[in-house]
Every structure is written in C-alpha cells, then in structure tokens.
Amino acid sequence: MSKSRKLRQLITEQEANQSSNTTPRAEVEVKHCRLAFADFPGGSETFELAAKFCFGVKIDLSSSNVTPLRCAGEFLEMTEEHSEGNLVSKTENFLSQSVLNSFKETTIALKSCERCMPLAETVGITRRCIDSLVYRALFRWPVSDSASTLLLQTGGRSSRRRKSAGDGEDDFCFEELMRLGLPLFKQVIIAMKESELKPEIIETSLMQYAKKRIPALSRSNRNAVRSSSSEAEQKELLEIVISNLSSKHSTPVRFLFGLLRTAAILKASEASRDVLEKKIGSHLDEVTLDDLLIPSYSYLNETLYDIDCVGRILGHFLKEERNVAAIDRRVPRSPALMLVGKLIDGYLSEIASDANLRPSKFYELAVLVPDRARLFHDGLYGAVDVYLKAHPWVSKSDREKICEVLECEKLTVEACTHAAQNERLPLRTVVRVLFYEQLQLRHGIARTVVALEEAARPSAESEEDADGSGAGEACTIHDGNKWHVAARENQVLRLDMDSMRTRVHQLERQCSSMRRVIEKMDKTGPRSGGPWRASVALGKKFGCKFKTQVCDSHEPTVGKASKLTACTIRCCFASFQLYNNEDDDSKDLEGPCETNKDEQM
C-alpha cells in the first residue's frame, strides 16, 4: 500500500465495506482482504517481482523483464507522486540507459512487449524500442538517396542525424529480429520504410525472417523444420514479403521460386502470384531447369508440373524483350533470349514423359518461344521424340501437329540422321528432313565449286608475279586447264542430279501403280492371306528389302547422290506402307530397296 496507489485504494475500499457490513460478534474474527487481477501485465511472475520490490527485496533488472515491470508499475500506479524511488522511475531509467543503447537488448525488450499488450503500446515502450532499432540500423547501413536527414523520437526527445556517410557494414545481425513475432515485425518493417532505409536492407530482413518462419521456402529443410507459426500467419507473412519486394533490387531467383511454390501451397492471392511471376520473368535467363520444375499442387491440374505457370513466366519475359526491341527499333538475337530458348527446350524434354500431358499443351508451350531464340532445333527435336515415345497412343493428326514445331533446316547432321531413321515421326516430317538434307547436299557442292574457283585465282596471280611475262602465259594456260576440269566436273554433277530427279519421278509412278494393285487385292478379300501378306509378296516380287539407311552429308559427292536416291526410294516405300498398312506390323517395313545390280537401283 505504501508503493502502489491502486492497491491502497482497493484495499481501503474493501476494508470500509467490510466494516460497514460486519456485526459486533464478527469483529472478533480476523479480517481478510482478497483481490484478483485477471489481466495483470506479464502474469504472475511479474506480479511477484513487483511485490518483492514493494517489500524492499532487491530485483535484478534485465532486458527481458524491464518491460513487464514497467507495465506492472503503470498498472499498479507505482509512480513518484505516490512514493519516491518507485518502480516506474526505476524501470524507466534502466530502459533508457541500458536497454535502448544496444540493438540486441532492445530486440529482447521488444520481444517481451508481446506479453504486455496492449498496455506496452499505451505506455509507448513498443514505439520507443522500434525507433531505437531503426536508429541503430541507420548507423550500420546507409539510407536511400532521397533522404538527407531523419528525425527520430527516442525517450520523448527528438534527435536529428544526417545520412550516414559510409556504404554500410555487413556485421548487422539479422538473427536478432528473428525473435520478434509477426505483429511486431510488421511494425519494424513499416518504421524502416518510413525512415528511408534502403529497400535492399528491408528486403534482406524480410527474406531472413521468412526463411525462419516458413519452412517450405527451402527444399532442403522443408520436412525437417517445424514452424511454430500457423498456416494463416505464414500466408500473411508471405504476402507481406511479396508486397515489399524491391523493383530495383535483384532478388535471388531461387528465393523467388521458393516464394512461388509456397504461394501455391498456402493458396495465396492471385495478385501475389502475379507479382512473383513477373519478377521471375524479368530474370528468366538466370533460371536453372531445376527451378522451373514447379510441382502442381492443385487438383485441377492433371500434369505433374505446373506448366501454365511456366508459360505465364515465359510470356512476361517475352513481353519485356519486345519492349526492349521496340525502344531499340530492332529485333536482336540477345544472349538472354538464346539462353531462355535452350532452357525451355530442356523443360519440354523433362515434362514430355508425363503421361497426362496433352498434345495441345505441349505444342502451345513449344511455339511460345520465338524462332530467333533457337539457333538449332536439336533440343526441340529431342523433346518431340521423347513425347512421341512416351505417348504412342497419340493420333496421327496430333503427331503431325507436334512435329510442325520443328524446322528441318535448323537440324544438325546428327539430328537429321536420327530423324531419318525415327519410326515414330510422321511420314511428312521424314520427307521434309530428306528434302532439306538434299538442299544441304546441293549447297555443299556449290560451296566446293566456289572454293575451288577462289583458290585458283591467288595461285595464278602469285605464279605470274614470280615468273614474269613468259611464265605468266604458261600459268594462264595451266589455269585454263583447271577451269575446264572444274567446269566438266560441275556438268557431271548436274547430270547426276538430273538423272536422280528423273529416277525419283519414275519411282513415284511405280509407287502409284503398286498402290492400285494393293487396293484391288484388298477388294478380293482375305483368301490369300490379307493385304499385308499381299504387300509383302509384292515387295518380294520387286526384289525389295526394307532396311534403314541414312544419307551422310560428309561422304563424297557421288556417294551422296546415290544415297540420296536410296533415301528417296525409302521414302516412297514408306508412303506405300503408310497408305496400305496402318497396323503395328509396320515395324517390319525397313529402309530402301536393296537389289543385286546397280541397274535395278
């Protein structure tokens, strides 16, 4: 009663009530006074410390109990007006002189405010601790360029300091802020933003806090660490982190993908997911294939991975590329675009084996990448091959549509060789491959002739300068002989190409006649073993064995022409097989006609 005005008042009132209601017989009994404080700040521990202080027992003040004791003194009205050297003045002095001067001690004191809410905010301890934390942070790290001075309220006094001259120190311990709960941490972040602290510092604080409170952000400790925060608190924290991402600061891409996966798990708002997808899209050239493999957490998606999310991210990246091209007034083949094209081809190869992946979704993602992003189509061809192998039940029209994404002129020699032998590709695609292989052969011949012509000129000029006029005339004659030889070889090659074209037309006519014969056999019925046996017998009649053989563009010119003819024969017989036999027995049909004589070839 000597230290607390509230206790003195309550006890006096209770004694007065008891004295007015007691009878003369009850005055002999011992009087008892009972008081109950259901909402006492800090709980029973703090009340016990306050009671010891009232009876003169020495109390050890610390950063963890000074805030509850300050709130208890306010609750019990233990002020200097009631008694000198009271609890309120003692705790105020300790708080100002020992706690608020240290970042670590201030964080501990702010953490203890959680047990004394809302009285801690009413007294102003929470605000003072937050301002002290921001003030200490400003000394360690620079503020933004827009802030020149800062006014901080600390302990009821204002102090003005100019922007720190240093570039910041790396010894700032973010672990201290991890002690705080989400409501207090939000207040600290708001105070940091109001103090014009650099966005990079605020974002780093949010990242560290989110990693501590949301285990799903990291794949390594997702199953090992259990967070004390509820799902609602994790979702709220996630949206706070996303809303405070800096547009100028480059956030680590792996952390952004962790946020995106967690947003799908916690079912965050669409606006938050859109912010993350745009942020990732602006740095898509820094992404790895492992990052893009985002699991599908929705029951509405049939696929193993979230392909729609990757498509939206790619769309944001291409939109930025178009904006850059519009500013520069050109369509560059930037290195970033090439990296993204290679990344998407790898992603298509990874998801192609998913049995639930529809052909339309595979096609849409493949054509979303512009042509200038792929220098070669080998990676895309590999993805198409994996998809056709994993989905043998896909219809003929879907297979042809998927193969339309391939540009055969962008396939390397190895890819062309594999495609020519690939039984899973539609016939139209194989014909396109062979056609562009023939074009490559023609271009190779033309380049060889041009190279011979250019090599002949400097040699003739050098010999003419060395030997004089007489020797020059001899060199001119010799050079003329070389020109005649080169021209003769060129004519021979052209004749070979013309004869090859004539043979192709003859084979097409023979194929048409064979098709008509097969159609007549189909009408006669299965007496003779069906159309398949008839077609095999017809093949034997013509002396044909279908064996796979591929043109090699690196062989000599004559060999190339012959093998190109063989490839064309195989193409014709493959078309014959495709029109007259749609069964799985078509695997027995192999390659070009092998005959005993070159005349039959």
Side-chain angles (χ1 to χ4, degrees):
M1 293 174 65
S2 62
K3 293 290 185 180
S4 172
R5 178 182 296 173
K6 187 171 187 176
L7 285 176
R8 183 184 182 87
Q9 182 181 358
L10 292 175
I11 293 174
T12 302
E13 290 178 357
Q14 196 169 38
E15 287 178 350
N17 292 334
Q18 288 180 355
S19 61
S20 62
N21 296 330
T22 55
T23 59
R25 184 178 179 181
E27 290 180 356
V28 184
E29 299 179 358
V30 181
K31 297 179 180 180
H32 295 282
C33 182
R34 183 179 183 85
L35 300 175
F37 301 108
D39 54 349
F40 192 84
S44 58
E45 286 186 23
T46 306
F47 181 81
E48 183 179 357
L49 291 175
K52 288 181 179 181
F53 177 82
C54 293
F55 286 99
V57 180
K58 184 179 179 181
I59 299 176
D60 294 330
L61 294 177
S62 64
S63 56
S64 59
N65 63 14
V66 64
T67 300
L69 283 174
R70 172 66 180 84
C71 295
E74 189 72 21
F75 183 84
L76 296 175
E77 300 179 9
M78 301 174 67
T79 60
E80 289 294 317
E81 290 80 3
H82 185 71
S83 175
E84 292 184 1
N86 216 339
L87 185 59
V88 172
S89 61
K90 293 287 185 183
T91 53
E92 276 290 344
N93 293 334
F94 183 81
L95 190 65
S96 300
Q97 297 174 7
S98 302
V99 176
L100 296 179
N101 293 331
S102 170
F103 190 92
K104 180 178 181 181
E105 300 300 327
T106 304
T107 308
I108 297 174
L110 183 59
K111 172 66 177 177
S112 62
C113 291
E114 297 175 352
R115 298 184 294 156
C116 306
M117 291 296 184
L119 187 57
E121 289 187 347
T122 304
V123 176
I125 300 178
T126 304
R127 185 74 257 174
R128 290 167 61 189
C129 291
I130 293 174
D131 289 342
S132 178
L133 290 177
V134 176
Y135 185 78
R136 302 295 165 188
L138 289 173
F139 271 110
R140 293 175 178 268
W141 277 323
V143 296
S144 61
D145 297 335
S146 61
S148 59
T149 58
L150 178 66
L151 182 64
L152 292 175
Q153 300 292 333
T154 307
R157 299 186 303 273
S158 63
S159 62
R160 184 179 298 271
R161 65 176 292 269
R162 295 191 177 276
K163 188 177 75 171
S164 175
D167 292 336
E169 301 175 1
D170 296 333
D171 58 350
F172 185 83
C173 187
F174 289 107
E175 289 297 329
E176 301 301 329
L177 293 177
M178 302 303 106
R179 303 172 182 267
L180 303 177
L182 183 57
L184 289 177
F185 184 77
K186 286 169 58 178
Q187 296 185 37
V188 173
I189 295 299
I190 293 174
M192 286 183 174
K193 295 174 67 176
E194 292 175 352
S195 65
E196 300 293 341
L197 196 66
K198 276 196 171 182
E200 293 86 343
I201 309 303
I202 301 174
E203 185 174 323
T204 306
S205 303
L206 287 167
M207 288 171 55
Q208 297 292 336
Y209 190 83
K211 289 179 181 179
K212 190 77 173 180
R213 298 284 175 159
I214 307 178
L217 284 178
S218 178
R219 289 182 174 181
S220 58
N221 63 350
R222 185 178 304 171
N223 299 325
V225 179
R226 297 289 181 104
S227 176
S228 58
S229 304
S230 63
E231 184 175 333
E233 290 179 348
Q234 293 184 26
K235 181 179 178 180
E236 183 182 2
L237 173 60
L238 179 70
E239 294 181 349
I240 292 174
V241 174
I242 295 173
S243 62
N244 286 277
L245 289 176
S246 174
S247 58
K248 299 180 180 179
H249 178 58
S250 180
T251 310
V253 177
R254 188 171 294 273
F255 179 75
L256 292 176
F257 274 101
L259 290 176
L260 187 59
R261 288 192 301 268
T262 309
I265 296 173
L266 299 178
K267 298 179 181 180
S269 61
E270 292 294 332
S272 299
R273 297 190 64 179
D274 187 61
V275 170
L276 288 174
E277 290 171 358
K278 289 182 179 179
K279 185 82 172 176
I280 294 173
S282 60
H283 302 283
L284 189 57
D285 55 314
E286 304 173 9
V287 175
T288 62
L289 179 58
D290 184 61
D291 294 330
L292 276 185
L293 298 177
I294 305 172
S296 179
Y297 298 102
S298 176
Y299 294 104
L300 301 177
N301 292 334
E302 300 176 353
T303 55
L304 181 62
Y305 299 107
D306 195 347
I307 302 174
D308 295 333
C309 179
V310 176
R312 291 192 297 268
I313 293 173
L314 179 60
H316 292 310
F317 172 80
L318 296 177
K319 184 178 180 180
E320 288 195 2
E321 285 288 320
R322 287 192 294 269
N323 294 336
V324 173
I327 295 174
D328 298 340
R329 295 182 179 179
R330 58 191 179 89
V331 184
R333 177 174 283 174
S334 63
L337 187 61
M338 302 293 291
L339 289 174
V340 170
K342 185 177 180 180
L343 176 67
I344 297 301
D345 289 346
Y347 181 77
L348 288 170
S349 300
E350 191 69 27
I351 66 174
S353 58
D354 190 352
N356 296 323
L357 180 59
R358 297 193 302 272
S360 59
K361 194 169 289 290
F362 181 89
Y363 175 81
E364 291 171 0
L365 184 59
V367 299
L368 192 59
V369 181
D371 294 338
R372 65 181 186 276
R374 295 186 176 107
L375 188 60
F376 297 102
H377 273 216
D378 289 17
L380 184 59
Y381 167 72
V384 171
D385 185 41
V386 172
Y387 185 82
L388 295 179
K389 184 177 181 181
H391 303 77
W393 57 84
V394 174
S395 63
K396 176 184 175 182
S397 59
D398 288 336
R399 284 191 291 119
E400 290 181 350
K401 183 178 180 180
I402 290 174
C403 292
E404 286 177 359
V405 302
L406 295 174
E407 294 184 14
C408 298
E409 64 270 20
K410 290 187 177 182
L411 294 177
T412 60
V413 177
E414 293 78 7
C416 285
T417 303
H418 188 278
Q421 303 177 76
N422 197 341
E423 299 178 354
R424 291 181 288 271
L425 294 180
L427 176 61
R428 183 178 300 176
T429 304
V430 177
V431 172
R432 287 167 54 200
V433 171
L434 295 175
F435 173 74
Y436 284 108
E437 195 172 19
Q438 181 183 5
L439 288 181
Q440 290 179 2
L441 175 62
R442 290 184 177 182
H443 293 323
I445 295 172
R447 285 194 296 268
T448 303
V449 173
V450 172
L452 289 174
E453 293 176 356
E454 293 180 352
R457 293 177 182 176
S459 61
E461 294 176 357
S462 60
E463 291 179 2
E464 182 178 356
D465 295 337
D467 298 338
S469 59
E473 294 178 358
C475 288
T476 303
I477 297 174
H478 181 66
D479 185 44
N481 294 332
K482 286 186 176 181
W483 273 98
H484 287 299
V485 173
R488 192 179 302 108
E489 291 179 354
N490 193 11
Q491 291 178 357
V492 171
L493 290 175
R494 288 180 180 178
L495 291 175
D496 289 340
M497 296 297 293
D498 294 338
S499 62
M500 179 179 62
R501 189 179 297 107
T502 304
R503 292 176 183 176
V504 169
H505 291 316
Q506 293 176 356
L507 288 172
E508 289 177 352
R509 289 194 295 270
Q510 292 177 5
C511 184
S512 300
S513 62
M514 291 166 62
R515 190 182 300 115
R516 288 193 295 269
V517 173
I518 293 299
E519 290 176 356
K520 292 181 181 179
M521 291 182 178
D522 289 338
K523 294 178 181 180
T524 57
R527 295 180 181 178
S528 59
W532 167 244
R533 184 170 297 177
S535 61
V536 174
L538 185 61
K540 292 182 178 179
K541 179 179 178 181
F542 280 90
C544 297
K545 293 182 180 180
F546 299 96
K547 184 177 181 181
T548 304
Q549 185 172 352
V550 183
C551 294
D552 191 355
S553 59
H554 293 291
E555 293 185 2
T557 305
V558 179
K560 288 181 180 179
S562 301
K563 289 199 172 186
L564 182 60
T565 307
C567 292
T568 311
I569 296 172
R570 185 195 62 227
C571 176
C572 295
F573 277 100
S575 62
F576 154 72
Q577 169 243 330
L578 187 65
Y579 277 100
N580 298 282
N581 182 22
E582 295 293 338
D583 298 331
D584 291 335
D585 294 335
S586 59
K587 297 181 180 178
D588 297 330
L589 267 178
E590 300 178 355
C593 244
E594 289 185 358
T595 58
N596 296 327
K597 299 294 183 179
D598 293 337
E599 292 80 2
Q600 294 177 350
M601 189 65 173

